[in-house]
Amino acid sequence: MKIVWTSALLLGCLMGFSIGVDMVQGFSFSMALQNAYSPFRVMEFAELFVLFVLFLLLFCFVAEVFYRSFKVKKAKQRQK
């Protein structure tokens, strides 16, 4: 339970810091809140591309794990 509360506290502090920085830059509170809750809208193309590549690599890793487990399961069935 400590992990959940620590994570929530860290989230709150980081969101507050993000909103504070946006407000110092001249954004209104509502716009700063919108930027904090929807980070994909304020990303530039290069950041979105890096995020896309990261998710693509993560998908390939998960697909490989499922493929290998399926292959092992099928080999065990053949041995029986």
Side-chain angles (χ1 to χ4, degrees), residues 46-75:
E47 294 170 325
L48 288 172
F49 181 74
V50 168
L51 189 66
F52 171 73
V53 169
L54 176 69
F55 281 127
L56 182 67
L57 290 174
L58 186 64
F59 174 76
C60 289
F61 173 73
V62 170
E64 180 183 1
V65 168
F66 280 123
Y67 175 73
R68 287 183 184 217
S69 65
F70 178 74
K71 194 174 171 182
V72 168
K73 188 176 179 181
K74 198 171 187 178

Side-chain angles (χ1 to χ4, degrees), residues 26-43:
F27 292 107
S28 66
F29 179 74
S30 62
M31 190 62 172
L33 194 62
Q34 186 178 11
N35 287 344
Y37 279 114
S38 58
F40 299 111
R41 292 181 57 181
V42 294
M43 283 186 172

